[in-house]
Amino acid sequence: MNALAEQVRKYGLATAPGLVQGSALAELHREAEQLVGQFTGHGYRSDDYWSFERADAREQVLYRIHNLEQQGSTPINELFADGPLHELAGEVLGREIRPMVCAMIVKMPHHAARVPWHRDRTSVAPHTVINLSLFLDDSSFENGCIEYVPYSHLLPDDADVTAVEQQGPVEAAPARAGDVLVHDVRTVHASRTNSTDAFRRSIVIEFAPVDFDLPNT
Ligand code: NI
């Protein structure tokens, strides 16, 4: 097993630095700008574009583009179909995998909400289903990087997420554009608001073993 796979198994989260670079990263970045720009600049609305209303009711704040692989963007479709994230997911799980869900997480400058402490799924055993987050922008404490509780993927399904977070330790997982953050779907995690002037965007793909039927949540 490689070092990254071992870290994911042990801590529930690990980072593969600089997995996507150069023109491949630039193309994805451009597509992300275009998809987000449809919403923020051109009034595009769809059930796949998840948003909430700002407290002053002046604007809808986009936070997720769901079914991202269905939004008609070639570089994103290709990333979902095959490539470096698939290879990494296969290495981490040590078996043949398939992509299940693809989304873009968008933290709008200043108005992004915090994501409360949660686990993506608990209906599956540890080391079975993982989420890979490809960062399109640098992610720091200031713009709401992922925070998590190491080893929490190993806790029982009914563990009290709030108690787990309060007991800690809580670790921040900052990332650079092009890094891929891998986490077990059972890992307890959260992220804060974005207090900066810049977007913080990531593409998240969930991977499961090819022969695995994912239970509905
Ligand atoms: Ni999550």
Side-chain angles (χ1 to χ4, degrees):
M1 199 188 302
N2 70 25
L4 188 98
E6 257 173 61
Q7 278 182 17
V8 176
R9 280 185 93 86
K10 184 170 178 190
Y11 302 111
L13 184 147
T15 305
L19 195 75
V20 179
Q21 295 189 33
S23 59
L25 184 61
E27 265 188 34
L28 289 166
H29 202 271
R30 203 159 41 237
E31 286 303 313
E33 295 224 301
Q34 222 230 313
L35 290 174
V36 172
Q38 286 188 158
F39 184 96
T40 56
H42 300 281
Y44 177 76
R45 297 293 181 267
S46 133
D47 287 348
D48 287 332
Y49 277 60
W50 297 5
S51 65
F52 63 89
E53 194 170 68
R54 257 170 65 177
D56 57 11
R58 274 198 294 173
E59 197 183 23
Q60 287 289 319
V61 180
L62 178 67
Y63 64 93
R64 180 185 175 103
I65 303 177
H66 198 57
N67 293 324
L68 186 63
E69 79 284 9
Q70 294 170 25
Q71 308 301 325
S73 148
T74 305
I76 291 171
N77 295 346
E78 284 173 359
L79 188 77
F80 183 71
D82 203 2
L85 270 60
H86 292 241
E87 201 176 314
L88 181 64
E91 280 170 17
V92 168
L93 290 178
R95 54 211 283 200
E96 209 183 327
I97 46 80
R98 64 182 170 133
M100 308 297 292
V101 179
C102 184
M104 191 191 304
I105 306 301
V106 181
K107 283 210 184 263
M108 300 263 285
H110 301 296
H111 302 302
R114 64 183 276 271
V115 175
W117 288 92
H118 69 284
R119 304 167 99 179
D120 295 337
R121 296 179 188 277
T122 51
S123 48
V124 296
H127 324 304
T128 310
V129 182
I130 51 177
N131 263 317
L132 270 59
S133 306
L134 168 60
F135 281 84
L136 302 178
D137 305 293
D138 292 349
S139 175
S140 64
F141 204 69
E142 289 69 35
N143 70 9
C145 67
I146 289 181
E147 296 172 64
Y148 72 107
V149 179
Y151 309 104
S152 57
H153 59 310
L154 303 173
L155 295 172
D157 282 8
D158 62 355
D160 178 344
V161 165
T162 305
V164 171
E165 179 261 323
Q166 282 168 358
Q167 194 185 335
V170 168
E171 296 271 348
R176 306 295 299 263
D179 290 357
V180 173
L181 209 139
V182 182
H183 76 267
D184 194 300
V185 290
R186 299 176 55 88
T187 301
V188 174
H189 63 284
S191 61
R192 300 185 191 214
T193 56
N194 179 357
S195 59
T196 74
D197 293 330
F199 280 90
R200 180 282 226 189
R201 290 158 294 203
S202 58
I203 295 174
V204 182
I205 303 181
E206 184 182 60
F207 287 93
V210 73
D211 54 356
F212 187 80
D213 278 329
L214 210 51
N216 288 324
T217 48

